[in-house]
Amino acid sequence: MKILSLMAVLSFSFVIEAKTQVKQDKKVDAKCFVELVGGGETITFWNISSKKLSSLSKSITGRKVMVANSKQKVKIYQSHECVLLKNNFSGSRAKAVDAKTAR
């Protein structure tokens, strides 16, 4: 009987731990200051897992995104900086482009 009680308590604790880990992996909104192939700089917006924010800058290089006043997607040449949507960029050029970007 003691073994059965112990197994029930242990299995219950694993279920609670698994639910906690799922809630911690929530999605966040981020923005990145990028340079496009063919010239030009823009701000791109992403909805990603909070765990992937630190590697977002490297992972979006080479992806195609829509830009204003164009019907075609343009490839990202280089990503300079990615931050949470509510945060400010650290670079002056990124701040200037962000100020001009429509939301």
Side-chain angles (χ1 to χ4, degrees):
M1 188 67 166
K2 291 182 181 179
I3 295 174
L4 189 59
S5 312
L6 181 62
M7 290 178 66
V9 169
L10 287 176
S11 64
F12 182 70
S13 66
F14 288 129
V15 169
I16 290 175
E17 184 177 335
K19 286 183 180 180
T20 304
Q21 289 178 352
V22 170
K23 288 182 181 178
Q24 290 175 352
D25 189 28
K26 63 181 181 177
K27 297 238 178 197
V28 294
D29 291 321
K31 59 184 178 181
C32 296
F33 175 60
V34 299
E35 186 177 342
L36 303 171
V37 171
E41 299 168 326
T42 190
I43 305 295
T44 58
F45 299 94
W46 306 88
N47 186 290
I48 58 161
S49 168
S50 59
K51 291 179 180 179
K52 296 181 180 181
L53 182 61
S54 60
S55 63
L56 178 62
S57 187
K58 293 177 185 173
S59 68
I60 63 173
T61 301
R63 287 197 178 181
K64 290 186 175 186
V65 294
M66 292 297 294
V67 293
N69 302 325
S70 176
K71 294 182 181 179
Q72 296 179 351
K73 290 185 176 185
V74 180
K75 192 177 275 192
I76 296 174
Y77 174 70
Q78 184 178 14
S79 176
H80 295 284
E81 183 179 3
C82 293
V83 296
L84 289 174
L85 186 61
K86 62 183 178 182
N87 294 352
N88 293 323
F89 289 109
S90 60
S92 60
R93 183 71 185 136
K95 287 179 183 178
V97 173
D98 190 30
K100 296 176 185 175
T101 303
R103 308 246 190 249

XYZ file of all heavy atoms in Angstrom:
794
model
N 0.815 -1.190 0.000
C 0.000 0.000 0.000
C 0.869 1.268 0.000
O 0.529 2.245 -0.645
C -0.912 -0.047 1.237
C -1.934 1.037 1.252
S -3.064 0.730 -0.089
C -4.346 1.802 0.321
N 1.990 1.226 0.758
C 2.881 2.378 0.811
C 3.516 2.640 -0.548
O 3.687 3.781 -0.947
C 3.975 2.159 1.854
C 3.478 2.176 3.273
C 4.622 1.996 4.240
C 4.124 1.977 5.662
N 5.225 1.788 6.617
N 3.856 1.577 -1.235
C 4.477 1.726 -2.554
C 3.495 2.347 -3.530
O 3.854 3.222 -4.319
C 4.991 0.363 -3.064
C 6.120 -0.132 -2.166
C 5.454 0.471 -4.505
C 6.602 -1.521 -2.504
N 2.249 1.917 -3.473
C 1.220 2.466 -4.358
C 1.017 3.955 -4.096
O 0.887 4.741 -5.030
C -0.089 1.690 -4.170
C -1.196 1.991 -5.149
C -0.735 1.710 -6.568
C -2.419 1.161 -4.834
N 1.003 4.366 -2.840
C 0.848 5.778 -2.481
C 2.037 6.590 -2.978
O 1.879 7.694 -3.504
C 0.751 5.962 -0.963
O -0.150 5.084 -0.392
N 3.225 6.050 -2.804
C 4.428 6.737 -3.245
C 4.434 6.921 -4.761
O 4.781 7.998 -5.275
C 5.668 5.956 -2.809
C 7.021 6.562 -3.172
C 7.192 7.919 -2.507
C 8.137 5.628 -2.780
N 4.026 5.912 -5.499
C 3.978 6.002 -6.959
C 2.949 7.036 -7.409
O 3.193 7.769 -8.371
C 3.673 4.624 -7.565
C 4.830 3.654 -7.409
S 4.476 2.032 -8.069
C 4.331 2.388 -9.793
N 1.837 7.120 -6.717
C 0.812 8.097 -7.067
C 1.327 9.515 -6.857
O 1.121 10.402 -7.694
C -0.447 7.858 -6.247
N 2.010 9.752 -5.758
C 2.554 11.075 -5.467
C 3.617 11.457 -6.486
O 3.652 12.585 -6.988
C 3.133 11.123 -4.024
C 3.928 12.388 -3.798
C 2.018 11.001 -3.007
N 4.499 10.535 -6.830
C 5.546 10.815 -7.803
C 4.974 11.111 -9.187
O 5.412 12.039 -9.866
C 6.531 9.652 -7.877
C 7.484 9.510 -6.689
C 8.337 8.254 -6.852
C 8.362 10.725 -6.556
N 4.005 10.334 -9.616
C 3.426 10.571 -10.942
C 2.689 11.901 -10.986
O 2.719 12.606 -11.987
C 2.513 9.418 -11.345
O 1.406 9.329 -10.473
N 2.040 12.273 -9.894
C 1.347 13.560 -9.832
C 2.344 14.714 -9.915
O 2.101 15.703 -10.593
C 0.520 13.656 -8.542
C -0.266 14.916 -8.428
C -1.362 15.146 -9.246
C 0.087 15.895 -7.503
C -2.087 16.316 -9.152
C -0.629 17.067 -7.407
C -1.724 17.277 -8.228
N 3.484 14.581 -9.251
C 4.480 15.649 -9.286
C 5.083 15.806 -10.679
O 5.407 16.910 -11.111
C 5.579 15.404 -8.255
O 6.307 14.256 -8.590
N 5.244 14.732 -11.434
C 5.752 14.828 -12.807
C 4.765 15.540 -13.714
O 5.156 16.310 -14.582
C 6.067 13.443 -13.369
C 7.291 12.812 -12.774
C 7.253 11.524 -12.272
C 8.498 13.501 -12.713
C 8.383 10.945 -11.723
C 9.626 12.930 -12.170
C 9.567 11.639 -11.663
N 3.482 15.321 -13.519
C 2.462 15.983 -14.332
C 2.495 17.486 -14.075
O 2.440 18.292 -15.001
C 1.062 15.394 -14.037
C -0.022 16.241 -14.665
C 0.980 13.962 -14.524
N 2.608 17.893 -12.827
C 2.662 19.319 -12.490
C 3.924 19.951 -13.076
O 3.879 21.048 -13.634
C 2.617 19.511 -10.958
C 1.225 19.137 -10.443
C 2.958 20.945 -10.575
C 1.090 19.169 -8.951
N 5.043 19.272 -13.009
C 6.298 19.800 -13.545
C 6.218 19.961 -15.056
O 6.673 20.946 -15.616
C 7.463 18.882 -13.181
C 8.794 19.411 -13.621
C 9.943 18.512 -13.191
O 9.797 17.789 -12.204
O 10.979 18.555 -13.871
N 5.612 19.026 -15.753
C 5.487 19.102 -17.209
C 4.611 20.281 -17.607
O 4.910 20.988 -18.567
C 4.907 17.802 -17.751
N 3.526 20.530 -16.885
C 2.657 21.664 -17.200
C 3.382 22.980 -16.982
O 3.204 23.923 -17.731
C 1.387 21.605 -16.350
C 0.422 20.540 -16.783
C -0.837 20.578 -15.963
C -1.813 19.496 -16.401
N -3.037 19.516 -15.603
N 4.212 23.066 -15.965
C 4.967 24.279 -15.689
C 5.947 24.579 -16.817
O 6.096 25.718 -17.235
C 5.733 24.144 -14.356
O 4.798 23.825 -13.327
C 6.453 25.420 -14.008
N 6.610 23.570 -17.341
C 7.570 23.778 -18.423
C 6.879 24.239 -19.691
O 7.416 25.056 -20.424
C 8.352 22.498 -18.686
C 9.338 22.172 -17.588
C 10.062 20.865 -17.844
O 9.733 20.128 -18.759
N 11.044 20.568 -17.002
N 5.695 23.754 -19.978
C 4.961 24.172 -21.171
C 4.595 25.644 -21.070
O 4.716 26.390 -22.034
C 3.707 23.294 -21.365
C 2.816 23.862 -22.443
C 4.112 21.874 -21.711
N 4.186 26.107 -19.914
C 3.806 27.502 -19.752
C 5.004 28.435 -19.882
O 4.875 29.553 -20.323
C 3.133 27.711 -18.393
C 1.752 27.119 -18.322
C 1.107 27.393 -16.996
C -0.276 26.775 -16.935
N -0.919 26.982 -15.641
N 6.196 28.003 -19.499
C 7.378 28.843 -19.569
C 7.844 29.056 -21.006
O 8.507 30.034 -21.294
C 8.516 28.229 -18.759
C 8.276 28.270 -17.269
C 9.356 27.544 -16.498
O 10.212 26.892 -17.084
N 9.318 27.647 -15.182
N 7.491 28.173 -21.917
C 7.908 28.288 -23.307
C 6.847 29.029 -24.110
O 6.333 28.532 -25.087
C 8.168 26.901 -23.897
C 8.817 26.984 -25.261
O 9.526 27.966 -25.521
O 8.601 26.063 -26.066
N 6.546 30.270 -23.696
C 5.521 31.037 -24.391
C 6.137 31.834 -25.534
O 7.339 32.023 -25.607
C 4.798 31.952 -23.422
C 5.681 32.997 -22.785
C 4.900 33.848 -21.832
C 5.819 34.899 -21.238
N 5.101 35.795 -20.368
N 5.290 32.304 -26.412
C 5.736 33.080 -27.561
C 5.845 34.552 -27.175
O 5.075 35.050 -26.365
C 4.756 32.910 -28.709
C 4.658 31.492 -29.201
C 4.993 31.460 -30.640
C 4.942 30.018 -31.111
N 5.615 29.870 -32.343
N 6.811 35.216 -27.792
C 7.026 36.644 -27.552
C 7.129 37.356 -28.901
O 7.469 36.752 -29.916
C 8.306 36.904 -26.721
C 8.181 36.349 -25.323
C 9.528 36.346 -27.403
N 6.834 38.649 -28.899
C 6.975 39.465 -30.099
C 8.338 40.136 -30.071
O 8.753 40.696 -29.045
C 5.879 40.526 -30.164
C 4.514 39.914 -30.403
O 4.431 38.953 -31.183
O 3.526 40.393 -29.811
N 9.031 40.080 -31.205
C 10.368 40.662 -31.310
C 10.467 41.473 -32.590
O 9.660 41.320 -33.510
C 11.421 39.554 -31.307
N 11.459 42.351 -32.620
C 11.737 43.132 -33.827
C 13.231 43.082 -34.078
O 14.034 43.003 -33.147
C 11.249 44.575 -33.682
C 11.872 45.332 -32.524
C 11.260 46.712 -32.394
C 11.862 47.437 -31.182
N 11.283 48.772 -31.004
N 13.591 43.098 -35.364
C 14.999 43.011 -35.749
C 15.332 44.104 -36.753
O 14.552 44.387 -37.664
C 15.312 41.653 -36.373
S 15.106 40.265 -35.251
N 16.487 44.692 -36.589
C 17.020 45.667 -37.545
C 17.892 44.894 -38.514
O 18.888 44.283 -38.121
C 17.833 46.733 -36.805
C 18.523 47.702 -37.714
C 17.807 48.492 -38.597
C 19.897 47.832 -37.683
C 18.453 49.392 -39.437
C 20.555 48.727 -38.511
C 19.835 49.512 -39.385
N 17.478 44.872 -39.802
C 18.156 44.040 -40.788
C 18.575 44.854 -42.006
O 17.996 45.893 -42.313
C 17.263 42.858 -41.247
C 16.922 41.956 -40.087
C 16.002 43.331 -41.936
N 19.581 44.329 -42.693
C 20.035 44.865 -43.973
C 19.561 43.887 -45.043
O 19.690 42.675 -44.891
C 21.555 44.957 -43.965
C 22.141 45.622 -45.175
C 23.666 45.744 -45.062
O 24.209 45.639 -43.948
O 24.283 45.931 -46.115
N 19.014 44.408 -46.136
C 18.444 43.581 -47.189
C 19.415 43.395 -48.348
O 20.278 44.244 -48.584
C 17.152 44.216 -47.699
C 16.083 44.475 -46.642
C 14.948 45.302 -47.225
C 15.563 43.175 -46.067
N 19.252 42.296 -49.074
C 20.050 42.057 -50.275
C 19.687 43.144 -51.288
O 18.521 43.449 -51.500
C 19.756 40.651 -50.858
C 20.401 40.485 -52.223
C 20.231 39.573 -49.902
N 20.682 43.738 -51.895
C 20.437 44.810 -52.847
C 20.422 46.177 -52.187
O 20.151 47.182 -52.821
N 20.680 46.233 -50.911
C 20.707 47.505 -50.183
C 19.404 47.756 -49.450
O 18.394 47.106 -49.681
N 19.439 48.665 -48.569
C 18.269 49.036 -47.793
C 18.284 48.389 -46.411
O 18.859 47.323 -46.210
N 17.683 49.094 -45.495
C 17.573 48.619 -44.123
C 16.115 48.717 -43.705
O 15.406 49.620 -44.135
C 18.432 49.474 -43.178
C 19.907 49.449 -43.520
C 20.696 50.505 -42.774
O 20.154 51.602 -42.524
O 21.854 50.231 -42.453
N 15.692 47.806 -42.852
C 14.307 47.815 -42.391
C 14.210 47.133 -41.034
O 15.164 46.524 -40.558
C 13.376 47.141 -43.417
O 12.020 47.374 -43.042
C 13.628 45.646 -43.517
N 13.036 47.234 -40.465
C 12.717 46.545 -39.219
C 11.760 45.413 -39.573
O 10.767 45.632 -40.262
C 12.045 47.488 -38.197
C 12.902 48.728 -37.926
C 11.715 46.749 -36.917
C 14.218 48.462 -37.253
N 12.075 44.206 -39.127
C 11.186 43.070 -39.337
C 10.616 42.639 -37.993
O 11.250 42.815 -36.951
C 11.919 41.884 -39.991
O 13.021 41.487 -39.168
C 12.410 42.250 -41.376
N 9.419 42.077 -38.024
C 8.724 41.686 -36.802
C 8.527 40.184 -36.789
O 8.200 39.571 -37.811
C 7.377 42.413 -36.719
C 7.532 43.911 -36.685
C 7.462 44.661 -37.840
C 7.776 44.556 -35.482
C 7.622 46.033 -37.810
C 7.949 45.937 -35.445
C 7.869 46.670 -36.600
N 8.714 39.578 -35.614
C 8.655 38.129 -35.464
C 7.887 37.764 -34.204
O 7.946 38.473 -33.203
C 10.069 37.548 -35.371
C 10.938 37.956 -36.514
C 11.709 39.071 -36.613
C 11.098 37.266 -37.756
N 12.353 39.117 -37.823
C 11.989 38.012 -38.545
C 10.591 36.079 -38.259
C 12.377 37.625 -39.818
C 10.978 35.688 -39.529
C 11.855 36.458 -40.294
N 7.188 36.631 -34.241
C 6.537 36.039 -33.075
C 7.189 34.688 -32.873
O 6.942 33.754 -33.643
C 5.027 35.906 -33.309
C 4.317 35.428 -32.081
O 4.461 34.285 -31.678
N 3.550 36.309 -31.478
N 8.031 34.580 -31.857
C 8.853 33.388 -31.672
C 8.774 32.897 -30.240
O 8.291 33.599 -29.349
C 10.322 33.672 -32.027
C 10.849 34.815 -31.157
C 10.499 33.974 -33.485
C 12.327 34.885 -31.094
N 9.311 31.717 -30.014
C 9.431 31.169 -28.671
C 10.435 32.003 -27.885
O 11.444 32.457 -28.435
C 9.906 29.722 -28.765
O 10.301 29.239 -27.519
N 10.167 32.205 -26.617
C 11.063 33.021 -25.796
C 12.468 32.421 -25.714
O 13.442 33.147 -25.552
C 10.490 33.199 -24.391
O 10.296 31.943 -23.772
N 12.586 31.118 -25.867
C 13.894 30.465 -25.825
C 14.746 30.807 -27.051
O 15.963 30.760 -26.997
C 13.733 28.948 -25.763
C 13.156 28.447 -24.477
C 13.024 26.949 -24.532
C 12.439 26.399 -23.251
N 12.293 24.934 -23.318
N 14.105 31.138 -28.159
C 14.823 31.369 -29.414
C 15.206 32.821 -29.649
O 15.811 33.143 -30.666
C 13.975 30.878 -30.589
C 13.747 29.382 -30.558
C 12.922 28.936 -31.737
C 12.700 27.435 -31.685
N 11.917 26.958 -32.815
N 14.880 33.711 -28.715
C 15.171 35.131 -28.915
C 16.663 35.401 -29.047
O 17.087 36.190 -29.894
C 14.593 35.964 -27.768
C 14.797 37.470 -27.880
C 14.118 38.010 -29.141
C 14.273 38.168 -26.656
N 17.474 34.732 -28.264
C 18.912 34.993 -28.304
C 19.549 34.578 -29.634
O 20.540 35.163 -30.062
C 19.613 34.277 -27.151
O 19.408 32.883 -27.245
N 18.986 33.586 -30.311
C 19.553 33.131 -31.582
C 18.772 33.630 -32.800
O 19.070 33.239 -33.924
C 19.619 31.606 -31.602
O 18.313 31.062 -31.530
N 17.801 34.496 -32.583
C 16.958 34.977 -33.689
C 17.767 35.708 -34.743
O 17.571 35.502 -35.939
C 15.846 35.882 -33.156
C 14.909 36.489 -34.196
C 14.158 35.392 -34.944
C 13.939 37.447 -33.543
N 18.696 36.532 -34.333
C 19.490 37.329 -35.270
C 20.212 36.442 -36.283
O 20.269 36.759 -37.471
C 20.487 38.181 -34.491
O 21.145 39.055 -35.353
N 20.748 35.334 -35.838
C 21.466 34.421 -36.738
C 20.509 33.600 -37.590
O 20.800 33.299 -38.745
C 22.354 33.483 -35.927
C 23.486 34.178 -35.227
C 24.291 33.225 -34.386
C 25.345 33.970 -33.601
N 26.043 33.125 -32.651
N 19.359 33.252 -37.043
C 18.461 32.335 -37.749
C 17.665 32.989 -38.875
O 17.173 32.290 -39.760
C 17.509 31.661 -36.760
O 16.596 32.597 -36.219
N 17.524 34.304 -38.879
C 16.715 34.938 -39.924
C 17.530 35.362 -41.144
O 16.950 35.716 -42.173
C 15.919 36.145 -39.378
C 16.849 37.249 -38.889
C 14.960 35.707 -38.303
C 16.133 38.528 -38.494
N 18.835 35.324 -41.042
C 19.675 35.670 -42.191
C 19.391 34.702 -43.334
O 19.393 33.499 -43.143
C 21.168 35.608 -41.806
O 21.393 36.515 -40.740
C 22.049 35.981 -42.978
N 19.095 35.255 -44.496
C 18.771 34.431 -45.659
C 17.279 34.230 -45.883
O 16.871 33.767 -46.939
N 16.451 34.573 -44.921
C 14.998 34.448 -45.092
C 14.473 35.596 -45.938
O 15.054 36.678 -45.984
C 14.293 34.469 -43.745
C 14.479 33.210 -42.962
C 13.441 33.163 -41.895
N 13.528 31.940 -41.128
C 12.727 31.648 -40.147
N 11.786 32.494 -39.793
N 12.856 30.519 -39.499
N 13.350 35.349 -46.589
C 12.718 36.382 -47.401
C 11.580 37.018 -46.615
O 10.832 36.324 -45.925
C 12.175 35.792 -48.698
C 13.265 35.379 -49.662
C 12.685 34.941 -50.976
C 13.788 34.654 -51.979
N 13.248 34.370 -53.305
N 11.482 38.344 -46.706
C 10.448 39.097 -46.003
C 9.805 40.103 -46.952
O 10.413 40.525 -47.936
C 11.024 39.843 -44.778
C 11.496 38.873 -43.714
C 12.153 40.771 -45.167
N 8.593 40.481 -46.646
C 7.913 41.531 -47.409
C 8.383 42.880 -46.894
O 8.582 43.066 -45.701
C 6.392 41.434 -47.224
C 5.767 40.200 -47.858
S 5.937 40.121 -49.642
C 4.956 41.494 -50.167
N 8.579 43.810 -47.801
C 8.976 45.161 -47.427
C 7.945 46.143 -47.967
O 7.198 45.841 -48.904
C 10.384 45.524 -47.961
C 11.439 44.684 -47.262
C 10.489 45.362 -49.444
N 7.914 47.316 -47.387
C 6.967 48.350 -47.799
C 7.220 48.768 -49.250
O 8.361 48.785 -49.708
C 7.087 49.558 -46.878
N 6.161 49.077 -49.960
C 6.214 49.557 -51.346
C 6.805 48.542 -52.317
O 7.453 48.915 -53.289
C 6.980 50.878 -51.440
C 6.368 51.950 -50.566
O 5.152 52.010 -50.411
N 7.201 52.778 -49.982
N 6.634 47.254 -52.044
C 7.124 46.218 -52.938
C 6.146 45.050 -52.945
O 5.564 44.721 -51.918
C 8.501 45.732 -52.484
O 8.927 44.675 -53.308
N 5.994 44.438 -54.103
C 5.112 43.279 -54.219
C 5.879 41.975 -54.067
O 5.292 40.917 -53.975
C 4.387 43.304 -55.562
C 3.420 44.459 -55.699
C 2.700 44.416 -57.015
C 1.752 45.596 -57.137
N 1.056 45.598 -58.413
N 7.196 42.061 -54.071
C 8.030 40.869 -53.971
C 8.735 40.814 -52.620
O 9.013 41.843 -52.003
C 9.084 40.864 -55.086
C 8.494 40.780 -56.461
C 9.581 40.793 -57.518
O 10.745 41.019 -57.223
N 9.200 40.543 -58.759
N 9.034 39.594 -52.211
C 9.798 39.413 -50.983
C 11.277 39.664 -51.267
O 11.758 39.404 -52.364
C 9.615 37.996 -50.442
C 8.223 37.740 -49.905
C 8.147 36.375 -49.276
C 6.784 36.167 -48.651
N 6.721 34.900 -47.922
N 11.964 40.166 -50.266
C 13.383 40.467 -50.369
C 14.125 39.661 -49.317
O 13.669 39.520 -48.189
C 13.643 41.978 -50.168
C 15.121 42.293 -50.272
C 12.842 42.795 -51.159
N 15.284 39.149 -49.686
C 16.069 38.318 -48.782
C 16.853 39.182 -47.785
O 17.367 40.233 -48.136
C 17.045 37.460 -49.586
C 17.709 36.361 -48.783
C 18.611 35.501 -49.645
C 17.800 34.429 -50.301
N 18.641 33.385 -50.928
N 16.909 38.711 -46.557
C 17.688 39.388 -45.517
C 19.159 39.047 -45.716
O 19.535 37.881 -45.722
C 17.229 38.966 -44.109
C 15.782 39.418 -43.869
C 18.158 39.530 -43.041
C 15.184 38.922 -42.569
N 19.978 40.076 -45.893
C 21.409 39.889 -46.086
C 22.112 39.710 -44.739
O 22.946 38.835 -44.567
C 21.999 41.078 -46.843
C 23.499 41.048 -46.970
C 24.125 40.106 -47.786
C 24.297 41.946 -46.271
C 25.498 40.065 -47.899
C 25.671 41.913 -46.380
C 26.268 40.969 -47.197
O 27.627 40.928 -47.305
N 21.754 40.560 -43.787
C 22.413 40.521 -42.489
C 21.476 41.098 -41.430
O 20.808 42.103 -41.668
C 23.705 41.335 -42.531
C 24.517 41.290 -41.269
C 25.813 42.077 -41.410
O 25.977 42.852 -42.342
N 26.720 41.882 -40.496
N 21.447 40.470 -40.287
C 20.665 40.973 -39.165
C 21.619 41.614 -38.163
O 22.578 40.990 -37.717
C 19.903 39.821 -38.508
O 19.225 40.286 -37.373
N 21.352 42.859 -37.819
C 22.256 43.586 -36.927
C 21.869 43.452 -35.458
O 22.743 43.334 -34.605
C 22.307 45.067 -37.309
C 22.887 45.299 -38.658
N 24.238 45.223 -38.916
C 22.306 45.591 -39.850
C 24.462 45.472 -40.202
N 23.308 45.699 -40.781
N 20.560 43.495 -35.175
C 20.138 43.500 -33.773
C 18.680 43.059 -33.666
O 17.843 43.481 -34.457
C 20.304 44.921 -33.225
C 19.972 45.085 -31.790
C 20.170 46.516 -31.302
O 20.513 47.404 -32.105
O 19.962 46.730 -30.102
N 18.387 42.217 -32.679
C 17.019 41.784 -32.397
C 16.713 42.025 -30.924
O 17.524 41.687 -30.052
C 16.827 40.307 -32.714
S 16.937 39.909 -34.468
N 15.544 42.623 -30.652
C 15.118 42.902 -29.280
C 13.627 42.601 -29.155
O 12.925 42.437 -30.168
C 15.390 44.373 -28.877
C 16.866 44.677 -28.863
C 14.647 45.328 -29.781
N 13.152 42.550 -27.928
C 11.718 42.412 -27.716
C 11.012 43.632 -28.289
O 11.577 44.728 -28.327
C 11.407 42.282 -26.228
C 11.818 40.978 -25.566
C 11.592 41.048 -24.064
C 11.050 39.806 -26.156
N 9.777 43.444 -28.712
C 9.028 44.516 -29.368
C 8.923 45.761 -28.501
O 9.013 46.883 -28.994
C 7.633 44.019 -29.741
C 6.762 44.957 -30.549
C 7.412 45.260 -31.887
C 5.392 44.353 -30.766
N 8.764 45.605 -27.205
C 8.593 46.756 -26.312
C 9.921 47.447 -25.967
O 9.922 48.565 -25.471
C 7.900 46.325 -25.022
C 8.677 45.308 -24.227
C 7.929 44.862 -22.999
C 8.752 43.801 -22.276
N 8.072 43.306 -21.108
N 11.042 46.818 -26.258
C 12.356 47.388 -25.939
C 12.858 48.271 -27.075
O 12.379 48.186 -28.203
C 13.370 46.285 -25.661
C 13.041 45.509 -24.409
O 12.141 45.867 -23.663
N 13.748 44.426 -24.188
N 13.853 49.088 -26.773
C 14.471 49.964 -27.770
C 15.760 49.336 -28.280
O 16.433 48.607 -27.558
C 14.788 51.329 -27.158
C 13.534 52.086 -26.796
O 12.535 52.023 -27.488
N 13.586 52.802 -25.686
N 16.108 49.666 -29.516
C 17.382 49.223 -30.073
C 18.515 50.010 -29.420
O 18.321 51.132 -28.959
C 17.407 49.446 -31.588
C 16.519 48.515 -32.358
C 15.354 48.963 -32.957
C 16.851 47.176 -32.496
C 14.545 48.104 -33.672
C 16.046 46.311 -33.208
C 14.896 46.775 -33.799
N 19.717 49.451 -29.449
C 20.862 50.146 -28.870
C 21.582 51.012 -29.909
O 22.156 52.038 -29.566
C 21.841 49.153 -28.256
O 22.316 48.260 -29.232
N 21.562 50.619 -31.176
C 22.250 51.368 -32.223
C 21.456 52.579 -32.682
O 20.231 52.552 -32.763
N 22.161 53.648 -33.025
C 21.497 54.887 -33.443
C 20.793 54.725 -34.791
O 19.704 55.261 -34.995
C 22.491 56.040 -33.492
O 23.521 55.754 -34.411
N 21.411 53.986 -35.722
C 20.790 53.788 -37.037
C 19.519 52.943 -36.893
O 18.505 53.222 -37.533
C 21.788 53.099 -37.981
C 21.275 52.912 -39.371
C 21.182 54.245 -40.105
N 20.566 54.029 -41.391
C 19.636 54.810 -41.910
N 19.249 55.888 -41.270
N 19.114 54.546 -43.082
N 19.559 51.931 -36.041
C 18.381 51.088 -35.801
C 17.253 51.896 -35.177
O 16.083 51.732 -35.546
C 18.754 49.913 -34.901
N 17.594 52.798 -34.251
C 16.580 53.645 -33.618
C 15.918 54.558 -34.642
O 14.707 54.773 -34.609
C 17.208 54.483 -32.505
C 17.545 53.693 -31.269
C 18.179 54.601 -30.213
C 18.596 53.816 -28.996
N 19.253 54.657 -27.986
N 16.713 55.103 -35.573
C 16.172 56.017 -36.587
C 15.222 55.273 -37.534
O 14.135 55.766 -37.848
C 17.315 56.640 -37.370
N 15.612 54.087 -37.975
C 14.751 53.317 -38.871
C 13.491 52.858 -38.130
O 12.396 52.860 -38.690
C 15.527 52.111 -39.461
C 14.618 51.208 -40.258
C 16.674 52.594 -40.318
N 13.629 52.497 -36.860
C 12.479 52.067 -36.056
C 11.481 53.203 -35.887
O 10.271 52.987 -35.923
C 12.957 51.553 -34.700
C 11.853 50.875 -33.910
O 10.927 50.293 -34.542
O 11.907 50.907 -32.664
N 11.964 54.416 -35.728
C 11.076 55.557 -35.562
C 10.240 55.812 -36.824
O 9.098 56.286 -36.733
C 11.875 56.804 -35.211
N 10.772 55.485 -37.983
C 10.077 55.692 -39.254
C 9.171 54.519 -39.640
O 8.367 54.647 -40.554
C 11.083 55.911 -40.381
C 11.915 57.152 -40.236
C 12.935 57.229 -41.346
C 13.878 58.385 -41.170
N 14.942 58.404 -42.182
N 9.312 53.393 -38.967
C 8.573 52.184 -39.330
C 7.141 52.237 -38.813
O 6.913 52.485 -37.626
C 9.277 50.928 -38.772
O 10.611 50.901 -39.274
C 8.553 49.666 -39.187
N 6.197 51.990 -39.721
C 4.784 51.951 -39.339
C 4.484 50.646 -38.605
O 5.075 49.617 -38.879
C 3.907 52.056 -40.578
N 3.563 50.698 -37.712
C 3.180 49.501 -36.950
C 1.771 49.116 -37.312
O 0.854 49.748 -37.324
C 3.251 49.752 -35.456
C 4.579 50.325 -35.062
C 5.352 49.378 -34.198
N 6.498 50.098 -33.665
C 7.721 49.840 -34.012
N 7.988 48.918 -34.832
N 8.713 50.514 -33.531
